[in-house]
Every structure is written in C-alpha cells, then in structure tokens.
Amino acid sequence: MNDLFKYEFMKIARKRMSIIVVFASMFLTLLLFIMPVKNYISLERDGSQVNGVAAIQLEKEYAKELAGTLTEERVAKDIREYQALFSNRDNVIKNGNKVNLTDEIYAYYVLPHYSYLKMIDEAFVEPQITDTGLTVIRDMQLEDYAAFYIARAEKVEKYFTMDYSDWTYSNQEKDFWNTKNSHVEMPYEYGYHAGWKSLLQCLELLIVPIIAICICVAPVFAGEYQSGADSVILSTRYGKSKLIKAKISATFLFALIVFSINVLLSVGIQLATFGMDGWNLPLQILNVTVPYNLSLLEATIVCIANLYLVLIGMVAFTLFLSAKMKTSFVVLVVDILVILLPVFMGLSGTNGILNHILMLFPYMSAQPVFPADYTSYFSYPLPGLTLDIITMRIIVYAVLSVVCIPFVGRAFKRHQVQ
Amino acid sequence: MELKLNELTKQFGQKKAVDRMSITMKPGVYGMLGANGAGKTTLMRMICGVLNPTSGDIFLDGNSAENLGEDYRKLLGYLPQDFGYYPEFTAQEFMCYVAALKGIPKQEAKIRTKELLGVVSLSEVSNKKIRTFSGGMKQRLGIAQAVLNDPKILVLDEPTAGLDPKERVHFRNLIADFSKDKIIILSTHIVSDVEYIADTILIIKDGKLIINSPAENITHEMDRKVWKCVVPKEKATEISNKFCLGNLHHGDDDAVILRILSDEIPIDGAINEEPTLEDLYLYHFQSDIAKYRGIR
Ligand SMILES: Nc1ncnc2c1ncn2[C@@H]1O[C@H](COP(=O)(O)OP(=O)(O)O)[C@@H](O)[C@H]1O
Ligand SMILES: [Mg+2]
C-alpha cells in the first residue's frame, strides 16, 4: 500500500472528532434500526397485544394464511369473505347509518389480515384518499371477478389526469409511466414480507451516517490550512500531485468503510429479526400502484445503491469545499445546509419545478420513492426523454462526484499560504 | 547552482510586503535579518512556492521555478514560521509522512528518520504523540523534517524561535555541518543567530533588501560610527534619546557607559569602538526601535 495513502487514512481515522462522530452515528444506527423491531406490534385473534419478536412470529403466521398468487378469482373470494362478515347481524353494530364490525369480529377476522385487505382496497380507492376503514371493498358490487388489476390501471390513469396544484403530467410522461407499468408483472405474489417492509421504511435513516462521514472528511484539506501544515505539505515534491490522489482515495475508502458498516448493521439487524422471507415478492404488495417492476430485494438494493451514490456525491462535494474553504467549520455549515435544505424550505404547494429540484437534495434523495404515490410517479420530463426520479438521482450524484473531484486538486494546488 | 530572485514583489492590498527584491544566491548560508513585519516570511513563502508573487520571478539555474514544479520542489527543504503538526501522529510517523511526501523510499526514510531524530535529540520520544511535545521539541522536529531529503535549497523561517540557548548552539553547529554545497536561507530577528554561521547577511526593511553583504566585511560601513561615551547618570537619558543607542550599562560611581551609533561624534570625549553586526542592525532599524520606545 502506498505510504501517503496510509498516512492520509490515518489522519482521518485517528482524529478524535472522527472517532467520536463515527461511533455516535453507529450507535444511532443501531438504535434506530432496533426500534422498529422492539416496537413491532401484532394483535392476537382475541385482541390482546403482542410486542417485539413474538409479534413478528405472529405476523408470520397470519401472512402464511395469505400466501399465494393474487389472481382475480382469489381477490374476489377474499373481498366476498370480508363482505360476508357484515351480512351476519350478530357481527355488526349499527351506529346511525354507520355499520361497524364488533370489536371481537374485527380483531378475529380483519386485523390479522389488515394490511393485505388494505392493499386490495387501495386499488379501488380514489387517488389521494386513504380508506383506513376499508369501506370501499365493503361496499363494492362484485362481478364474477374483482377487476383488481383493472382498477389499479384506472387509478394510475387518474394520477395523470388529476388536477395537481404544482404539476401537470405531459403526454410524454404518461407514455413513459405507462410503458414502465406495462413491465410490472401481474398477478402479484403475496406472502410474509415484514422485514423488507420495515427495511424500506427505515433506510432513509442512513442519512445520519452520511452526515457523520461528511463531518469526518470536512478537514481533509481545510484542516491542513487551519493547522498551518499546508506550507510544509505544498512545498514538498509530491505535495501538489500524489498527495492529492492519496487524500482523495483515503477519504473515499474511509467513507465507504464507515458507511458499509452502518449498512451491514442496519440491514443485518432487521433481516436477522424479521427474516429474509419475501425477498422475491413484488414491490407492489407494499404499494399497489408502484410502476417499478422490482422484487422487494431488488427495491432494497436500489435504495441502498442510491444511498451509496448520495454518499459518494456528498463526499466529493465536501472534499471540494474542504479544498476551497479556509476552515472545516465553514465546510460543515455549507454541507449541512445543502443536505437539509429541503427540510428548511419544505416542499412547495404550487411550484412543481422547485419541488423537482428539492427532491434531488441529499435529505430527499435518501428517501425511498416506492411507498408514496407522490414519489413513485415522480418524473423529470426533458426534451425527448423522461427520467424517473431514481435515474435522475443517479445521474445527479454521479455527475456531482465527477465534476467535484478535478476541482478538488485544482483548488488545493492553487491554495495560497498567507 | 544558482537561485535568482528577479524583482520579486508581493502586494497585499496597498501594502507591499515584499518590494521588487532581486538577489542571486550561490551555495552558502544566507542570514536574513529584519524586524517583525519586514517581509521575511512572505519572501520565504514565495521561494518555497506556497505563495504566488504579485510580480517577479524565481529562477533556478536559469529555469523558472514555477515551470520546474516538482523538479524544483524536490530540492527544497522548508521550515515555516508557525506550522501545523498532526497531534495524533508520533514524531516518527510525522517524519515518515513527510518522507513519503518528499518521495524518499521507505527503507531510506526509516534510516534518515532515525538518524535525524537523533541529531535533534528526539530519539527518546520518537514514538510519543506530537500532542505531548513542548514548543522547542516541535521546533526541533520541524528542523529535522526540513532536512529529510538532504535539500539543495534549505529555507528556515525563524528556526531558533522556541529553542533554549544550548539548543541554539546545537542548531548552529547542525547548519554549519549541513551547509556544504547548499543554499541555506534562514531568517531571524535575533542578530546572534546568524552572526557566526552566515556567509552572507541580508537585511530586509519594509519589504526591501537594504543590505546584501558578505559577513566578513558587513561591519565595515559601521567603522567609525560606534562610540563609547561615559556620561554622568543624570545626562544619560537625554543623550540616549537623542542618538541611536546600542547598549547601556552602569559603570563605577555615578557614570553610565553608553554605546552610541552615530555618523558624527555624539559628545566630546566619545571614542570609537569595534562595530558588530548588532550595531549595524540597530543602526538601520533605529527609527523602528525609536517608535517601539514611544519616542518621536
Ligand atoms: N495575508 C496577508 N494579508 C495582508 N498583509 C499581510 C499578509 N501576510 C503578511 N502581511 C503583511 O506583510 C508584511 C510582512 O509580513 P511578514 O512577511 O510576515 O514579515 P516578517 O516575517 O518579516 O515578520 C507585514 O506588514 C504583514 O502585516
Ligand atoms: Mg515572519
């Protein structure tokens, strides 16, 4: 191993600040990813609550009852069974003109399969409406088959024709999403998938180690200016050449190691406790209308890859700032502002273009696009080409890295000791 | 080998920190004297390529240092005035790191490091973190790193700052041993640092090179300008305010012995003395010194 590289790596990794920040972020990752396990709740059929690992076990049993292919016939049968609960007088309580299942019946028949029924229900619900009471499948008129996948397609079509305050879908975008949707495999497979569901919800928390890593690498160049070591370094033979390469590669190695440990911790905790089951089930069982043809495992990999790109882009950007600015503190302030800008500004109600830009900032880019309708159909219509948000993020962060790196060297070489 | 500065200038806003400085240096020890703020550090930074001149050039054997780049820097050794150490590094690691920066092969670096840490008496603490070092220890480590690559051009900015008298003597011997066939430039505002080791004395004032003279005849211009005056105590203050004062001490009885630097005889009965470098320095910086004393 190259000596300069080794020493540069040591400089980053041995700083007290780095050690504290890295361990604090790992501890936070542990905590944040254990919580969903510890707080996992299931209800027994008698309505009593179970927590944690036992709750996961129970959820597995419930999901087993539902495993299988969601053919139209099967969906119709499940809806009919649900509707049948209401036809028995003993099962319901009338409250004015509202009809509700009794607590016992609800706990026994509905709650164990709630997220499944909710998923079915969602295909039939109007866009932007949440039907927590599952009233749509209760009240619908069933033919021989449920028309579940047709309902899904119609709902998607409505996404494009609806009035949004900030965006209007162009024909180009509609075509793009319709093509993408045509690749989604139907009918869906259903089964236990709690681990992947939890993971996909939690992965955005890995923005914490990304921020931690930026804090650690902020002094890579600025720290030399601050301490006054710059004059010695820059006057040496390789101070303006090999050293820069060594610093950049040591920084990236450090960032990748720290981040990978966090990824392994987070994914490890959740999959070890929830189990890997469901890895090959389609993403659509989490959100019926998602237009991406991905399994849960693939979707998770996409999210993690996306996080790695955000990390690499932000590290490159931080290095650039570090070479340009006089102190690591200024580097950090700019970094934090950039990462959290969408949080400070908030998404706009009316300005779609601004929102399309804000969605590319690190904090937003760390979030998975799949769970929400808003982000799962988020696209960037360029002349002659539509990009989905995932591709757009990949491009933005790849370009950011590629653009920043050459400027890092330039800024450091030109640094004036004064 | 010839290092040539041609009309080298550095301007900060309106202030010319270094003003059209030209000098040609051949191997030898150059002692650069100047008050604080004279421009020594700025000049050295430009020589070491860490600060771009506003105008003017630096040539090594006729080639511009800027164009030589790495080939110029590999000949350099530089001890900056205040410079940063990595507190988490041990002295040995720091030396090996600088050796890597200077492109010294690993094996050779280890041997040189060991040898040099011995020379600057840091062998015993070579595995201690720099964080635990005193100012003098850091300064000695700084000197050691500067000479790691056996530089042909060695630039030392206030190398004796923070060293105790014994260490100063040690340092001088070190430089004397090292100086063969090399250009060594060292700055100081303490005359005695360079008095014995410099072959050439450079005196800088307000960014300008005012004296560039071989050390042996540097004091010639002061011949017949240094006066010893014995005066009564009550007249001492008046006289020393009027002239540039080199030294003052109380003699027997009520008399005070003054060393006055003056072109003319200051008082009747004054007698000429042998001039020293210190006299020369004081003579040229008398206005600054007067300012320092709050007079004029
Ligand atoms: N970065 C800077 N900006 C403005 N003025 C400076 C800067 N660096 C040095 N100076 C000025 O240039 C002059 C020379 O400074 P310096 O080279 O440090 O002197 P010396 O080393 O002889 O004490 C001083 O007046 C100082 O205030
Ligand atoms: Mg100085």
Side-chain angles (χ1 to χ4, degrees), chain A residues 162-307:
Chain A
M162 275 177 61
D163 272 342
Y164 298 96
S165 54
D166 68 330
W167 197 251
T168 316
Y169 282 98
S170 63
N171 285 330
Q172 184 188 325
E173 278 177 285
K174 275 183 222 171
D175 291 345
F176 173 79
W177 288 120
N178 284 333
T179 311
K180 220 168 168 56
N181 252 320
S182 68
H183 297 300
V184 173
E185 273 173 56
M186 294 169 212
Y188 305 156
E189 275 298 311
Y190 195 85
Y192 170 77
H193 61 276
W196 302 97
K197 181 178 181 178
S198 171
L199 203 50
L200 280 166
Q201 277 166 357
C202 297
L203 279 177
E204 64 183 86
L205 298 170
L206 288 175
I207 191 76
V208 175
I210 293 182
I211 294 175
I213 289 165
C214 286
I215 294 175
C216 297
V217 306
V220 166
F221 291 100
E224 308 283 10
Y225 308 157
Q226 246 173 309
S227 73
D230 52 353
S231 43
V232 167
I233 288 177
L234 285 167
S235 66
T236 59
R237 180 174 188 179
Y238 293 134
K240 296 186 182 186
S241 51
K242 283 189 183 169
L243 175 71
I244 297 169
K245 286 198 193 101
K247 275 183 177 294
I248 293 173
S249 37
T251 304
F252 278 106
L253 182 73
F254 173 83
L256 291 176
I257 291 176
V258 173
F259 193 66
S260 299
I261 293 173
N262 278 280
V263 169
L264 287 176
L265 273 180
S266 52
V267 175
I269 289 169
Q270 299 225 325
L271 292 185
T273 47
F274 282 104
M276 303 266 292
D277 322 31
W279 61 273
N280 53 353
L281 298 176
L283 182 56
Q284 281 70 24
I285 61 176
L286 284 186
N287 174 3
V288 240
T289 54
V290 186
Y292 295 88
N293 181 34
L294 296 170
S295 68
L296 290 171
L297 172 65
E298 287 164 343
T300 305
I301 291 173
V302 167
C303 286
I304 292 175
N306 190 59
L307 283 162

Side-chain angles (χ1 to χ4, degrees), chain B residues 35-42 81-82 157-158 187 189:
Chain B
N36 284 325
K40 305 182 292 294
T41 297
T42 306
Q81 184 167 6
D82 314 287
D157 199 352
E158 312 240 352
S187 78
H189 57 270

Side-chain angles (χ1 to χ4, degrees), chain A residues 1 3-4 6-8 10-11 14-16 224 227-243 247 414-418, chain B residues 10 12 45 48-52 70 73-74 76 78 80 82-86 88-90 93-94 96-98 100-103 106 129 131 145:
Chain A
M1 195 173 42
D3 259 12
L4 275 181
K6 181 182 91 185
Y7 287 115
E8 287 303 332
M10 262 166 53
K11 268 199 234 168
R14 273 213 213 147
K15 249 195 198 100
R16 278 184 186 178
E224 308 283 10
S227 73
D230 52 353
S231 43
V232 167
I233 288 177
L234 285 167
S235 66
T236 59
R237 180 174 188 179
Y238 293 134
K240 296 186 182 186
S241 51
K242 283 189 183 169
L243 175 71
K247 275 183 177 294
R414 291 183 177 183
H415 171 71
Q416 298 287 295
V417 176
Q418 39 179 282
Chain B
K10 182 72 197 183
F12 294 111
R45 283 175 176 162
C48 293
V50 298
L51 181 68
N52 294 335
E70 227 163 74
R73 290 199 300 275
K74 76 180 179 197
L76 277 182
Y78 179 30
D82 314 287
F83 90 98
Y85 298 84
Y86 307 111
E88 309 300 333
F89 275 36
T90 65
E93 282 166 352
F94 180 73
C96 288
Y97 172 65
V98 177
L101 278 170
K102 294 187 172 191
K106 215 170 183 166
K129 295 242 163 106
R131 177 156 26 119
Q145 67 75 28

Side-chain angles (χ1 to χ4, degrees), chain B residues 200-272:
Chain B
T200 308
I201 303 287
L202 309 173
I203 296 186
I204 294 185
K205 189 177 175 182
D206 298 330
K208 292 195 180 72
L209 185 62
I210 56 168
I211 290 178
N212 172 4
S213 157
E216 350 26 300
N217 44 25
I218 182 92
T219 54
H220 284 357
E221 76 159 291
M222 291 301 288
D223 285 349
R224 309 196 56 78
K225 287 185 185 167
V226 181
W227 307 89
K228 177 179 169 183
C229 320
V230 183
V231 297
K233 209 175 186 174
E234 51 282 5
K235 287 193 78 181
T237 316
E238 186 201 327
I239 293 170
S240 55
N241 283 349
K242 208 159 126 199
F243 296 97
C244 178
L245 182 69
N247 199 350
L248 174 156
H249 70 263
H250 294 269
D252 309 330
D253 313 323
D254 260 359
V256 172
I257 305 161
L258 299 176
R259 190 179 175 92
I260 299 283
L261 314 175
S262 165
D263 298 350
E264 315 271 314
I265 183 164
I267 54 165
D268 289 340
I271 50 170
N272 267 123

Side-chain angles (χ1 to χ4, degrees), chain A residues 74-90:
Chain A
R74 145 107 197 248
V75 174
K77 181 176 138 282
D78 290 340
I79 295 176
R80 259 191 217 104
E81 274 175 19
Y82 176 64
Q83 290 180 343
L85 294 175
F86 291 87
S87 43
N88 184 341
R89 281 161 164 258
D90 297 340

Side-chain angles (χ1 to χ4, degrees), chain A residues 88-103:
Chain A
N88 184 341
R89 281 161 164 258
D90 297 340
N91 288 354
V92 296
I93 318 167
K94 289 219 167 96
N95 193 347
N97 51 4
K98 272 195 201 156
V99 182
N100 285 320
L101 293 171
T102 62
D103 286 351

